[in-house]
């Protein structure tokens, strides 16, 4: 909201610069976003909290400043003398409210003899400083009153409306053409102002085109009402129409001010538009409930603030705020005025005390307690993140919205957003991989040789709602350096990462099997099986926007944690160093190394470490053959093995291997 | 002549030697007890008499010469041994290195501070219901305060949480006070994606419920926190604020680190807002059956604090995952 400094000075004496005033307002919780100094005036851009509609006008701000600086308000609005009607030449006006609940108060007056024309300069200038376009004196005066005392007013052309005004719900399908010449379709959720035949305004939001004020208007019906806030809010949101008026109504107007506002407007219309009152003011609720009683205890208040409070100081603040206390000792009732609808419970009163004492004058307190035990949910996630970083991966955070094309090939049932930010990204991610693939693409495009990224986050689907996953992608070249040749990242880099991850998580009971996830190229990917269930896959990604291969993995974090066995079982240690032997064997291309390893290790009486030190494919050994060089380390618990014993063991191994068609290379 | 060959061979051997122990073998080969020069000197009597003085002289001269050469070479080898024949300026073998995301690093720093103050860490779902995200937090439908949170709704009527406060309700449903918890996590609000806005952000919310928790405790806790995260010298200011789930409500502002509080384009006359907080609204505690308790709650945007702390002027950097950006953040504390 824009606030005009000079106008405010009309209401309360201000003996400080605009900058100091801004700081005073901030300390009261009225956020000043900007102070704009213009010739001999200043405009404050205020951000008013939604619970304080009373601050959406000059008068409201003036009240706060007066309380803080211990001054009285200089101006009051009291025009009860003008209520006398001045002419009886027009027919009566009839007001019908279908539901008092929708419209607890409606004040209407008929003003005639108007000369519609430009506003006096001081009015149009003030409006424009507050960001409202000057239209004509009649419309400007309604806005002027709104800005000064906060009550939205609306003027209808009496000749176009007729002598009956009905406040009712719209019929389903009923339409109205607004002042902005837009046709709006209404429903029975919308409150409207109508004449006998049709809607003339959307209540509290905007008038209709039909009954608008123009040069030829002579007589107006001036509306000053109180509408039920949620009703206005719903319609305003649904029709996407937010106005100065709806903004105030949906935050709850002051039910005590409708008549005062009418009288003030009439006063101004007489003075600046040569208007005359034609009818007595019609008020459907002349005695609205003006006060509210809130229980208050000194003991509880000072306990909530945390410091003793001075009763005299507090009572003075209350009185200046227009609050009255009843009762004595510790149990008081505080009676609050109708313009402070936000004060509903004791804690609201405590906030008022704290605001005017000053938050920064409250003693601060913190004492460390020894021996309190704290729990850290998510600690394991942090540990995995650190592990991934130590393995060379950068942690990424991606926005979890994906295109429907991603989900199309995916088995999961994606969850759709009702109001997506980007219309093409209307699904919640069902996998972390799309984000991580785009991270690879972005970084490769920026000339990074080797990109490794990971993310731990939630994925979403209809079956499980949300599930925490860990995923990583890597691509590019490990560049040549003086001790190493250049090479591309391949499947075994990714597999090594997965194996390290599993080892660090103390997961030993797992298997790799064929990968059926269409996200991966199945000839270069494996599935990780834990407890007969797939925890996810890893390998070469099938979808790839780059020319470089991208390898990735994605696992269900919970399944990894469940399989993680942190208990430590010491394995046998050997006193005697192992005997080392290298075997070069030739076998069919399709025979997996894992099979060979298992065969060797299954020899009972020996503990053998098996390491693959070379893989060799060449036509000289046969078209469908490969050669493996395996380094064996043979341990014996009690002695150093003799040459004879070793020969026997090796022979045994070679025999076993011959069963899968493997033989020693010549 | 034999002595000339010997001289040539000895010089070659000395040149070839790269280790001191090789030099010793060269010495033994020529000058040792059975060395070839020693042999010549011992067998000088086998030469014709008239040749003997010249051979003797030449051989002795050669012996001195070889001895000198050996000494020189030894000295040279000793000096160069200090360099091990290696160019130690070659770059070392690299182990690959990644890093945590800056928001993870800062979140953890914040979590550590609050854990040291007795707060436990709890987590909750990102898909929430209207009830937990709003209603249970004293923000019924059609409350104007809902304007403060532009919410992503799902087709089934649920939503993506706009803050991590729902975790506080879920925790209070399971555990009765006294308790101190913080709940970190990702949150979502409909927003543009520009240097100062993002549809996703990381939030940490805190809650302390106990008998007689007061505004003094709230301000004391948060003042200590700002000192720990921004340094002892930082000035903290508390201003009144508004949140539907707290009453009284407060905003926590710190002295702007960019201009030391003098005022600049980033701050509001020398101050920067970093936290929202307040005393838990009594309706919330009453609904949970904890009327006899009071409490305070606070919420902070990790993105925002990271931008202030690391002097980052574009929030999008956190979600674009440029390695050139990410590798500037290293976790010091492990
Ligand atoms: Zn600054």
């Amino acid at each position: 909201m824009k606030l005009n400094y000079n106008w405010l000075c009309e209401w309360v004496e201000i003996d400080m610069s605009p900058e100091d005033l801004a700081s005073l307002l901030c300390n009261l919780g009225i956020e000043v976003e900007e102070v704009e100094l213009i010739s001999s005036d200043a405009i404050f851009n205020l951000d008013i909290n939604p619970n304080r509609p009373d601050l959406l006008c000059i008068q409201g701000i003036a009240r706060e400043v007066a309380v803080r600086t211990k001054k009285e308000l200089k101006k009051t609005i009291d025009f009860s003398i003008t209520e006398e009607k001045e002419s009886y030449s027009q027919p009566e006006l009839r007001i019908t409210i279908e539901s008092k609940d929708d419209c607890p108060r409606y004040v209407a007056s008929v003003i005639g003899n108007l000369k519609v024309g430009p506003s006096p300069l001081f009015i149009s200038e003030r409006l424009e400083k507050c960001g409202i376009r000057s239209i004509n004196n009649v419309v400007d005066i309604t806005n002027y009153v709104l800005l000064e005392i906060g009550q939205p007013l609306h003027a209808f052309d009496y000749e176009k409306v007729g002598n009956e005004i009905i406040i009712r719900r719209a019929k389903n399908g009923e339409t109205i053409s607004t002042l902005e010449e837009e046709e709006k379709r209404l429903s029975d959720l919308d409150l409207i102002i109508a004449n006998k035949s049709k809607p003339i305004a959307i209540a509290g939001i905007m008038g209709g085109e039909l009954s608008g004020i123009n040069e030829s208007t002579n007589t107006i019906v001036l509306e000053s009402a109180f509408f039920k806030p949620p009703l206005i809010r719903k319609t305003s949101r649904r029709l996407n129409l937010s106005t100065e008026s709806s903004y105030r109504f949906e935050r709850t107007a002051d039910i005590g001010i409708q008549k005062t506002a009418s009288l003030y407007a009439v006063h101004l219309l007489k003075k600046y538009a040569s208007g005359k009152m034609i009818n007595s003011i019609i008020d459907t609720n002349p005695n609205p409930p003006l006060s509210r009683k809130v229980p208050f205890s000194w003991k509880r208040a000072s306990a909530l603030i945390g410091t003793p409070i001075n009763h005299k100081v507090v009572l003075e603040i209350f009185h200046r705020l227009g609050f009255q206390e009843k009762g004595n000792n510790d149990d008081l009732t505080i009676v609050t005025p109708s313009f402070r609808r936000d004060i509903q419970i004791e804690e609201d009163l405590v906030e008022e005390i704290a605001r005017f004492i000053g938050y920064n004058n409250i003693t601060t307190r913190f004492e460390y307690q020894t021996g309190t035990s704290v729990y850290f949910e998510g600690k394991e996630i942090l540990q995995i993140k650190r592990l991934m970083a130590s393995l060379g991966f950068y942690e990424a955070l991606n926005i979890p919205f994906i295109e429907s094309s991603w989900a199309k090939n995916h088995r999961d049932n994606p969850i759709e957003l009702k109001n997506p930010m980007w219309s093409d990204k209307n699904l919640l991610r069902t996998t972390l991989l799309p984000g991580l693939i785009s991270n690879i693409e972005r970084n490769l495009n920026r000339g990074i040789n080797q990109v490794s990224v990971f993310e731990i986050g939630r994925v979403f689907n209809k079956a499980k709602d949300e599930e925490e996953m860990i995923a990583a992608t890597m691509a590019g070249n490990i560049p040549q350096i003086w001790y190493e040749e250049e090479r591309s990242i391949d499947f075994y880099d990714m597999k090594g990462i997965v194996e390290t991850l599993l080892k660090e998580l103390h997961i030993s009971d797992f298997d790799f099997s064929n990968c059926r996830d269409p996200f991966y190229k199945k000839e270069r990917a494996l599935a990780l099986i834990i407890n007969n269930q797939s925890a996810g896959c890893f390998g070469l990604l099938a979808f790839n926007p780059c020319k470089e291969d991208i390898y990735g993995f994605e696992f269900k974090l919970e399944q990894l944690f469940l399989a993680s066995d942190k208990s430590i079982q010491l394995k046998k240690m050997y006193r005697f160093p192992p005997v080392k032997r290298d075997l070069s064997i030739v076998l069919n291309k399709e025979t997996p190394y894992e099979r060979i390893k298992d065969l060797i290790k299954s020899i009972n009486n020996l503990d053998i470490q098996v390491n693959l030190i070379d893989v060799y494919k060449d036509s000289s050994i046969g078209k469908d053959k490969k050669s493996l060089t395996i380094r064996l380390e043979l341990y014996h618990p009690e002695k150093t093995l003799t040459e004879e014993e070793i020969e026997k063991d090796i022979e045994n191994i070679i025999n076993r291997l011959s069963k899968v068609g493997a033989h020693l290379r010549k | 002549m034999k002595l000339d060959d010997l001289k040539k061979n000895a010089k070659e051997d000395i040149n070839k030697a790269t280790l001191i122990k090789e030099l010793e073998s060269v010495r033994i080969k020529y000058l040792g007890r059975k060395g070839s020069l020693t042999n010549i000197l011992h067998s000088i009597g086998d030469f014709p008499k008239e040749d003997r003085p010249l051979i003797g002289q030449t051989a002795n001269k050669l012996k001195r010469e070889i001895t000198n050469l050996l000494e020189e070479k030894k000295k040279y080898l000793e000096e160069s041994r200090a360099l091990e024949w290696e160019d130690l300026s070659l770059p070392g073998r690299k182990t690959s290195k990644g890093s945590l995301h800056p928001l993870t690093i800062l979140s953890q720093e914040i979590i550590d501070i609050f854990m040291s103050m007795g707060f436990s860490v709890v987590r909750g779902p990102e898909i929430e219901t209207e009830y937990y995200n709003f209603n249970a937090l004293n923000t019924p439908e059609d409350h104007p305060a809902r304007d403060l949170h532009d919410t992503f709704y799902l087709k089934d009527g649920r939503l993506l949480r706009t803050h991590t406060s729902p975790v506080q309700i879920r925790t209070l449903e399971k555990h009765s006070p006294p308790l101190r918890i913080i709940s970190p996590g990702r949150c979502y609000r409909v927003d543009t994606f520009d240097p100062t806005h993002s549809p996703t952000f990381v939030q940490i919310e805190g809650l302390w419920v106990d008998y007689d928790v007061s505004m003094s405790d709230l301000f004391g806790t948060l003042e200590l926190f700002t000192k720990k995260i921004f340094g002892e010298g930082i000035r903290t200011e508390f201003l009144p604020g508004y949140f539907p789930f707290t009453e009284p409500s407060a905003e926590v502002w710190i002295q702007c680190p960019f201009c030391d509080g003098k005022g600049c384009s980033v701050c509001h006359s020398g101050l920067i807002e970093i936290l929202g907080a307040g005393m838990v609204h009594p309706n919330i505690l009453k609904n949970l059956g904890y009327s006899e308790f009071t409490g305070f709650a606070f919420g902070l945007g990790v993105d925002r604090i990271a931008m202030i702390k690391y002097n980052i002027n574009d929030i999008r950097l956190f979600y674009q995952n440029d390695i050139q950006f990410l590798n500037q953040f290293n976790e010091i504390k492990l």
Side-chain angles (χ1 to χ4, degrees):
Chain A
M1 183 190 77
K2 285 189 170 175
L3 175 84
N4 179 328
Y5 179 77
N6 285 347
W7 201 353
L8 183 68
C9 291
E10 242 177 62
W11 277 80
V12 62
E13 188 195 330
I14 294 171
D15 42 18
M16 63 185 96
S17 67
E19 289 85 356
D20 288 343
L21 180 65
S23 139
L24 180 144
L25 292 174
C26 282
N27 278 296
L28 291 174
I30 302 168
E31 194 176 327
V32 181
E33 287 181 335
E34 201 186 356
V35 182
E36 193 188 336
L37 297 172
I38 47 172
S39 60
S40 69
D41 198 355
I43 307 293
F44 290 69
N45 209 341
L46 304 180
D47 188 9
I48 304 293
N49 291 328
N51 65 327
R52 293 299 303 274
D54 63 300
L55 298 180
L56 294 168
C57 63
I58 302 279
Q59 186 185 28
I61 302 293
R63 282 191 192 117
E64 294 269 305
V65 176
V67 176
R68 186 76 188 82
T69 57
K70 302 191 177 179
K71 296 215 163 67
E72 303 302 325
L73 286 185
K74 277 155 70 180
K75 187 170 173 181
T76 49
I77 304 284
D78 180 15
F79 297 98
S80 44
I81 29 126
T82 58
E83 205 188 322
E84 298 301 310
K85 53 185 175 182
E86 292 161 0
S87 158
Y88 298 94
S89 61
Q90 292 288 328
E92 294 284 317
L93 176 70
R94 206 165 66 229
I95 306 290
T96 312
I97 300 178
E98 271 188 5
S99 164
K100 268 227 155 209
D101 195 41
D102 291 348
C103 175
R105 193 175 189 190
Y106 197 91
V107 175
S109 31
V110 182
I111 298 115
N113 196 42
L114 289 163
K115 298 273 175 296
V116 179
S119 286
L121 201 59
F122 87 96
I123 289 185
S124 57
E125 269 183 8
R126 281 187 171 177
L127 293 191
E128 264 153 36
K129 279 179 184 172
C130 295
I132 293 180
R133 196 165 52 93
S134 170
I135 294 167
N136 58 48
N137 49 1
V138 174
V139 174
D140 287 0
I141 282 167
T142 62
N143 284 326
Y144 189 85
V145 172
L146 168 103
L147 291 173
E148 190 163 12
I149 62 174
Q151 170 65 33
L153 301 173
H154 190 73
F156 298 100
D157 190 324
Y158 180 83
E159 266 110 78
K160 292 172 195 157
V161 170
N163 62 358
E164 184 162 15
I165 284 183
I166 305 155
I167 297 103
R168 63 166 171 89
R169 294 293 184 98
K171 294 176 192 115
N172 282 325
E174 210 168 5
T175 59
I176 182 169
S177 196
T178 67
L179 281 173
E180 289 177 345
E181 292 167 18
E182 223 183 317
E183 186 166 280
K184 295 283 180 187
R185 206 177 172 80
L186 306 167
S187 81
D188 62 2
L189 295 171
D190 304 317
L191 188 68
I192 56 158
I193 315 298
N195 65 8
K196 260 179 239 157
S197 52
K198 60 177 84 149
I200 55 173
I202 307 167
I205 300 175
M206 192 175 268
E209 195 186 4
L210 174 82
S211 57
I213 309 300
N214 57 38
E215 313 289 284
S216 60
T217 302
N218 176 276
T219 305
I220 61 164
V221 178
L222 183 72
E223 166 198 285
S224 175
F226 182 99
F227 300 113
K228 191 181 171 188
L231 209 55
I232 304 302
R233 183 177 157 76
K234 257 189 205 144
T235 299
S236 155
R237 297 222 110 187
R238 197 176 55 78
L239 299 179
N240 201 12
L241 265 183
S242 180
T243 58
E244 293 281 341
S245 163
S246 70
Y247 192 77
R248 284 163 177 81
F249 278 125
E250 68 177 61
R251 281 162 174 72
T252 309
D254 171 6
I255 200 166
I257 202 181
Q258 283 72 35
K259 189 157 180 190
T260 313
S262 292
L263 292 170
Y264 186 31
V266 168
H267 164 79
L268 294 172
L269 287 167
K270 282 179 175 178
K271 208 163 161 187
Y272 301 112
S274 79
K276 280 197 183 359
M277 270 291 262
I278 290 179
N279 248 310
S280 288
I281 287 185
I282 300 170
D283 186 346
T284 66
N285 186 359
N287 297 304
L290 289 182
S291 60
R292 188 200 293 265
K293 295 189 178 77
V294 180
F296 180 78
S297 141
W298 292 111
K299 219 171 75 195
R300 287 194 301 263
S302 66
L304 193 62
I305 293 177
T307 9
I309 47 176
N310 182 323
H311 295 196
K312 222 182 107 199
V313 171
V314 170
L315 286 177
E316 196 196 332
I317 291 169
F318 280 178
H319 295 159
R320 286 189 176 276
L321 283 166
F323 303 172
Q324 294 302 323
E325 79 277 12
K326 281 189 183 150
N328 43 35
N329 298 329
D330 194 48
D331 284 316
L332 297 181
T333 298
I334 306 294
V335 183
T336 62
S338 62
F339 57 82
R340 288 303 304 272
R341 296 275 305 191
D342 60 304
I343 307 289
Q344 299 179 1
I345 53 172
E346 189 170 70
E347 284 74 7
D348 296 321
L349 291 168
V350 171
E351 184 173 75
E352 292 306 287
I353 298 170
R355 273 199 319 130
F356 286 98
I357 288 177
Y359 275 30
N360 293 306
N361 293 324
I362 293 173
T363 333
T364 60
R365 179 172 60 213
F366 183 83
E367 280 161 33
Y368 280 102
Q369 287 177 349
T370 49
T372 44
S373 66
V374 288
Y375 174 70
F376 181 6
E377 185 181 344
K379 186 177 160 195
E380 297 81 3
I381 291 177
L382 180 69
Q383 285 167 342
I384 294 207
K385 284 183 176 180
R386 285 181 173 148
L387 171 66
M388 288 303 291
S390 74
L391 292 174
F393 286 77
Y394 290 92
E395 188 191 359
L397 275 182
N398 284 294
I399 298 177
F401 306 142
I402 57 167
E403 289 160 32
S404 47
S405 61
W406 272 113
K408 218 188 292 171
N409 301 326
H410 212 53
R411 60 195 174 281
D412 294 321
N413 235 333
I415 293 175
E416 205 175 331
L417 282 170
K418 201 169 118 193
N419 53 336
M421 198 170 107
W422 298 289
S423 55
D424 58 334
K425 291 190 175 178
N426 59 334
L427 301 179
L428 297 183
R429 62 182 176 192
T430 53
T431 151
L432 300 176
L433 289 171
L436 291 170
I437 291 170
S438 73
N439 301 152
I440 295 272
E441 188 183 13
R442 182 183 179 95
N443 282 291
L444 288 177
N445 285 343
R446 293 186 174 207
I448 311 271
N449 289 320
Q450 182 201 342
V451 189
S452 311
V453 285
F454 80 100
E455 182 167 6
I456 290 184
R458 313 268 170 99
V459 300
F460 306 87
N461 60 61
K462 280 180 186 152
K464 290 205 164 165
D465 266 2
E466 55 192 273
E467 199 171 10
E468 200 120 35
M469 306 296 273
I470 177 171
T473 51
M474 61 199 296
N477 288 317
I478 297 170
Q480 184 184 343
I481 193 157
W482 65 275
Y483 52 80
E484 224 168 67
E485 293 295 311
E486 174 174 359
R487 66 176 185 86
S488 325
I489 284 170
D490 65 18
F491 174 81
Y492 302 99
D493 289 306
M494 196 79 245
K495 192 180 181 192
I497 298 293
V498 171
E499 286 167 339
T500 310
L501 186 67
L502 293 168
K503 186 169 191 312
E504 292 288 327
L505 281 168
H506 299 263
I507 299 172
S508 47
D509 204 2
F510 64 85
D511 279 310
F512 292 137
S513 74
N514 291 336
C515 165
R516 289 197 197 87
D517 188 329
F519 256 81
Y520 300 86
K521 289 218 160 125
K522 60 177 183 295
E523 65 276 18
R524 285 280 187 288
L526 291 172
L528 170 65
I529 309 294
I530 300 176
N531 283 331
N532 298 321
Q533 273 186 311
S534 169
C537 298
F538 64 94
L540 181 61
L541 295 177
F543 176 83
N544 183 351
C546 319
K547 37 180 217 299
E548 291 85 352
D549 284 347
I550 303 180
Y551 291 88
F553 74 73
E554 183 167 36
F555 300 132
K556 296 169 182 166
L557 210 50
E558 200 187 282
Q559 210 178 330
L560 298 187
F561 287 148
L562 282 175
S564 168
D565 181 4
K566 293 276 168 67
S567 64
I568 290 169
Q569 286 172 326
L570 272 188
K571 287 199 194 103
K572 204 184 267 175
M573 291 160 72
Y574 296 100
R575 276 171 63 207
F576 299 94
V579 176
K580 295 180 188 174
R581 282 287 184 283
D582 290 353
L583 289 184
S584 284
I585 55 170
V586 175
L587 65 165
N588 281 335
K589 216 165 63 181
E590 283 85 17
T591 309
Y593 160 70
E594 203 60 33
R595 182 85 197 275
I596 301 295
K597 185 180 166 182
D598 289 346
L599 273 174
I600 298 173
K601 293 201 82 160
S602 65
I603 293 178
N604 291 332
N605 59 339
L606 273 179
D607 197 346
I608 307 176
Q609 289 291 323
V610 183
N611 283 304
L612 180 65
I613 59 173
D614 194 26
V615 180
Y616 180 69
K617 280 177 216 163
D618 189 85
S619 54
S620 66
I621 46 171
K623 204 167 113 264
D624 297 318
K625 301 282 181 186
K626 67 181 171 190
S627 167
L628 303 177
T629 305
I630 293 163
R631 177 157 297 166
L632 305 173
E633 295 180 12
L634 291 76
Y635 291 87
H636 195 281
E638 281 125 25
K639 58 175 186 177
T640 307
L641 292 163
T642 65
E643 204 56 43
E644 271 169 28
E645 285 166 326
I646 297 163
E647 285 310 316
K648 228 181 105 200
D649 289 332
I650 298 289
E651 213 182 291
N652 194 355
I653 288 168
I654 293 167
N655 270 336
R656 274 180 183 244
L657 294 184
S658 66
K659 285 176 194 157
V660 292
H663 57 83
L664 280 185
R665 197 165 140 200
K666 305 279 161 15
Chain B
M1 163 135 197
K2 206 182 174 189
L3 272 176
D4 287 342
D5 288 343
L6 196 144
K7 182 178 172 180
K8 199 177 131 234
N9 290 343
K11 276 189 171 173
E12 252 171 41
D13 284 349
I14 291 171
N15 276 342
K16 271 195 290 186
T18 57
L19 296 171
I20 288 173
K21 70 177 181 202
E22 286 168 16
L23 227 45
E24 182 59 17
S25 326
V26 176
R27 193 189 64 79
I28 290 166
K29 184 176 171 190
Y30 296 97
L31 308 179
R33 212 155 41 87
K34 290 176 180 169
S36 37
L37 189 59
T38 315
N39 280 343
I40 290 172
L41 282 167
H42 284 172
S43 60
I44 201 151
D46 300 346
F47 290 92
K49 202 175 177 184
E50 62 275 19
D51 293 340
R52 280 179 205 162
L54 182 65
I55 291 173
Q57 253 177 32
T58 319
N60 275 315
K61 195 178 149 217
L62 186 58
K63 188 181 175 185
R64 280 196 304 277
E65 225 173 296
I66 291 174
T67 310
N68 282 343
L69 279 173
L70 281 168
E71 276 307 305
E72 262 172 49
K73 183 67 189 262
K74 191 181 170 197
K75 222 169 129 193
Y76 171 77
L77 281 182
E78 271 168 354
E79 275 170 12
S80 54
R81 197 165 71 147
L83 295 174
E84 286 281 336
W85 289 83
E86 274 293 335
D87 177 2
L88 299 188
S89 73
L90 296 180
R93 290 198 172 83
K94 294 213 170 37
T95 53
S96 50
K97 178 195 133 299
S99 72
L100 298 187
H101 194 279
L103 295 181
T104 299
I105 296 171
L106 185 58
S107 292
Q108 198 48 43
E109 201 177 329
I110 294 168
I111 287 170
D112 286 342
I113 291 171
F114 282 112
M115 283 182 72
S116 80
M117 294 165 90
F119 287 79
S120 287
V121 184
V122 289
R123 297 174 355 119
E126 291 178 14
I127 293 181
E128 267 298 357
T129 59
E130 290 249 0
Y131 175 77
Y132 284 107
N133 198 73
F134 291 122
N135 302 49
L137 289 157
N138 202 38
T139 319
E141 208 193 337
D142 292 322
H143 194 296
R146 284 211 180 178
D147 284 353
L148 304 173
H149 295 208
D150 273 320
T151 310
F152 282 113
Y153 284 95
L154 309 182
K155 283 261 165 94
D156 66 8
R158 291 181 301 165
L159 47 84
L160 294 180
R161 66 178 176 194
T162 59
H163 46 189
T164 57
S165 310
V167 185
Q168 304 182 345
I169 302 295
R170 289 177 178 276
T171 309
L172 281 171
E173 282 177 348
K174 276 181 259 154
H175 307 277
S176 48
L179 57 76
R180 284 180 227 185
I181 50 166
I182 52 168
S183 46
R186 290 184 74 172
C187 302
Y188 306 91
R189 289 183 198 174
V190 181
D191 221 328
T192 49
F193 194 45
D194 65 30
T196 50
H197 301 89
S198 165
T200 173
F201 55 97
V202 177
Q203 201 186 35
I204 295 180
E205 299 230 340
L207 175 75
W208 178 342
V209 181
D210 206 333
Y211 301 100
D212 291 326
V213 177
S214 68
M215 293 176 85
S216 288
D217 299 314
L218 168 62
F219 293 171
T221 303
L222 295 182
E223 191 177 53
L224 189 58
F225 165 72
T226 56
K227 284 194 168 139
K228 289 204 167 197
I229 202 98
F230 289 106
E232 270 306 307
I234 201 82
R235 185 164 59 93
T236 311
E237 292 222 359
F238 299 98
L239 297 178
Y242 171 74
F243 307 102
F245 29 89
T246 52
E247 188 68 34
S249 303
E251 290 170 357
V252 184
W253 296 65
I254 55 160
Q255 176 190 316
C256 172
F258 302 108
C259 62
D260 288 329
K262 289 184 196 81
C264 67
S265 61
V266 181
C267 59
H268 276 225
S269 43
L271 292 175
I272 282 194
E273 186 185 354
I274 57 157
L275 272 153
M279 305 307 295
V280 179
H281 198 285
N283 289 356
I284 296 172
L285 292 173
K286 204 192 293 164
N287 287 342
L288 291 159
Y290 304 132
S291 295
E292 69 274 34
F293 292 95
T294 53
F296 68 70
F298 57 85
L300 59 87
V302 179
D303 306 57
R304 182 173 172 78
I305 294 193
M307 289 172 84
I308 298 169
K309 202 171 152 66
Y310 306 136
N311 197 1
I312 294 164
N313 58 14
D314 191 336
I315 196 172
R316 290 173 298 184
L317 288 168
F318 294 129
Y319 303 100
Q320 287 167 337
N321 304 307
D322 264 313
I323 284 177
Q324 291 176 66
F325 172 74
L326 296 173
N327 72 11
Q328 296 180 49
F329 300 91
N330 283 306
E331 197 183 32
I332 298 150
K333 196 168 41 175
L334 277 168

